[in-house]
Amino acid sequence: MTPEFRRDPLHNTWVVFAPERQRRPQDYLPAVLQSAALDPFAEGNERLTPPEVYAIRKEKTKPNERGWRVRVVPNRYPAMRVEGQLEAAPFGLYDRLTGIGAHEVIIETPDGALAIEDLSVSAIADIFASYRERIIDLDKDQRFQHIYIFKNVGPTAGASLAHAHSQLVALPLVPPLVEGKLTRARDHYLLKQRSLFSDIVHTERADGSRMVAENDGYILFCPFASRFPFELAIFPKRHHPEYISCTTNELQDLAEILRFALQRLNAVLEKPGYNLLLHMAPLRRPNTERFASTRHDYCWHLEIIPRFNALAGFEIGLGAYINTVYPEEAARFLRGEVRA
């Protein structure tokens, strides 16, 4: 069966049905994922992945061979497929779309023994530059309305391979959760003539109790209403809705502050599983014109969500969260003012 999007009119959610992902590797299979020879993302095993669509390589090295620093390939077990026509296929009351989209894997290092925080700042900046280049390329496909990049680390966060990697999905729709954030940002701007994101940056820097670090380009803080213990956010100081606007220096600053954040989480929480989420405005399309105000009211940003437990009935049923650690206390631990 081919992938398909289906909309739930009661919860206003879209669900991707992706039967091919039933065949993906299970979380941390012994022997398989501990063996470099069987690691499909390790340097020298390029034949085990689909052909690369982008790479940062040493000079005079060829695609799909050794010599790369960052490598981007289509996901072998995609939730969506690039090939085909985007078509609506309603079923009575219900909305359906053909499962058109892109699903790519950004392999962050040739060495499967290294985590992203083990890399140099310049190597992490290369990863962020790869994100930017893939977004620019996929933006050319007019079928796509939104691009989302995420990273799962550890079995509690949904990782199926130990080798450091992140994933990119390009969607033919703007998910309701994203629409909600965009609407709230627009409402704040209409009410106050100021960006919600700029106000958060100003408030957190002025208050300081939830701040963990900052550099020339970014602030790192525990959100005021953190959903999860030790949740972190990285907001840019330069307001812009589009991640692709980042300069080389800004990517270096982003790499520096992310590396610091993950190293502090490791020190305080002993290498927790986590999700890294990159949020940005929808792509500029005729059918996303309702979000044209994003240049004033929305800003791309990163979230880091440590994962200790699975979501339970309270969270799933209500879309609300129970957090056992105040963000001010989490920030004190991450700043090194107290010991865990």
Side-chain angles (χ1 to χ4, degrees):
M1 296 178 66
T2 57
E4 184 176 270
F5 290 90
R6 294 186 180 184
R7 180 180 172 273
D8 180 340
L10 180 61
H11 297 98
N12 192 29
T13 55
W14 283 93
V15 177
V16 183
F17 288 86
E20 288 195 8
R21 287 180 67 78
Q22 293 177 4
R23 299 199 296 268
R24 67 178 181 162
Q26 296 302 308
D27 292 351
Y28 295 95
L29 287 174
V32 173
L33 296 182
Q34 297 305 314
S35 169
L38 295 176
D39 177 359
F41 295 163
E43 187 174 31
N45 289 345
E46 291 78 15
R47 68 190 184 284
L48 299 180
T49 70
E52 65 193 49
V53 294
Y54 178 81
I56 298 177
R57 299 183 148 274
K58 297 176 183 176
E59 290 186 16
K60 299 181 180 178
T61 60
K62 296 180 180 179
N64 304 305
E65 294 184 0
R66 288 176 175 271
W68 53 275
R69 300 196 304 275
V70 181
R71 188 165 180 259
V72 184
V73 300
N75 194 311
R76 187 177 288 280
Y77 307 96
M80 298 145 289
R81 290 195 168 277
V82 172
E83 301 83 5
Q85 296 294 318
L86 179 62
E87 296 176 351
F91 182 73
L93 164 69
Y94 304 111
D95 295 323
R96 296 190 300 181
L97 287 173
T98 47
I100 298 301
H103 191 172
E104 299 179 353
V105 176
I106 299 95
I107 307 171
E108 298 167 349
T109 170
D111 187 344
L114 298 178
I116 188 172
E117 64 269 21
D118 299 325
L119 304 177
S120 67
V121 169
S122 61
I124 300 172
D126 281 345
I127 296 167
F128 286 133
S130 299
Y131 291 178
R132 183 180 60 190
E133 295 308 309
R134 292 310 302 148
I135 294 167
I136 291 170
D137 185 55
L138 289 165
D139 189 18
K140 300 171 186 174
D141 191 324
Q142 294 296 307
R143 297 174 300 172
F144 303 149
Q145 294 187 29
H146 188 65
I147 292 176
Y148 175 57
I149 297 176
F150 62 97
K151 177 179 172 66
N152 303 330
V153 175
T156 57
S160 57
L161 285 170
H163 194 122
H165 68 286
S166 43
Q167 300 181 58
L168 177 154
V169 290
L171 304 170
L173 52 88
V174 179
L177 184 63
V178 177
E179 286 204 30
K181 291 179 77 170
L182 292 161
T183 298
R184 289 186 290 276
R186 182 178 58 205
D187 290 347
H188 182 93
Y189 185 83
L190 291 174
L191 179 65
K192 301 187 177 183
Q193 293 300 297
R194 302 191 309 267
S195 162
L196 173 60
F197 292 87
S198 297
D199 278 0
I200 290 173
V201 170
H202 175 78
T203 300
E204 294 300 339
R205 294 184 75 198
D207 178 88
S209 64
R210 290 169 297 278
M211 285 283 291
V212 177
E214 69 177 303
N215 60 17
D216 289 345
Y218 302 89
I219 70 166
L220 172 69
F221 66 100
C222 296
F224 177 78
S226 298
R227 297 158 295 177
F228 301 90
F230 291 88
E231 177 180 345
L232 286 165
I234 298 175
F235 277 22
K237 293 179 178 178
R238 183 173 72 90
H239 187 280
H240 204 287
E242 297 174 346
Y243 173 81
I244 60 173
S245 73
C246 289
T247 65
T248 299
N249 286 341
E250 286 172 334
L251 293 182
Q252 288 280 336
D253 285 347
L254 181 59
E256 176 186 70
I257 206 161
L258 175 67
R259 187 172 185 258
F260 175 82
L262 297 179
Q263 288 177 344
R264 289 305 303 154
L265 283 175
N266 288 347
V268 171
L269 302 175
E270 299 183 357
K271 295 190 175 182
Y274 67 88
N275 301 111
L276 177 67
L277 315 175
L278 172 58
H279 299 284
M280 63 195 87
L283 303 175
R284 296 184 183 278
R285 301 285 187 263
N287 47 7
T288 61
E289 278 302 306
R290 63 191 186 281
F291 306 124
S293 65
T294 55
R295 65 184 181 276
H296 301 298
D297 57 44
Y298 193 80
C299 187
W300 73 269
H301 56 287
L302 279 172
E303 295 176 340
I304 306 169
I305 312 293
R307 297 295 299 276
F308 305 104
N309 301 299
L311 296 181
F314 184 90
E315 293 84 1
I316 294 171
L318 297 179
Y321 299 86
I322 298 173
N323 187 347
T324 58
V325 181
Y326 277 105
E328 293 81 2
E329 188 70 7
R332 290 180 65 213
F333 277 97
L334 293 169
R335 289 195 300 262
E337 295 175 4
V338 290
R339 292 187 178 182

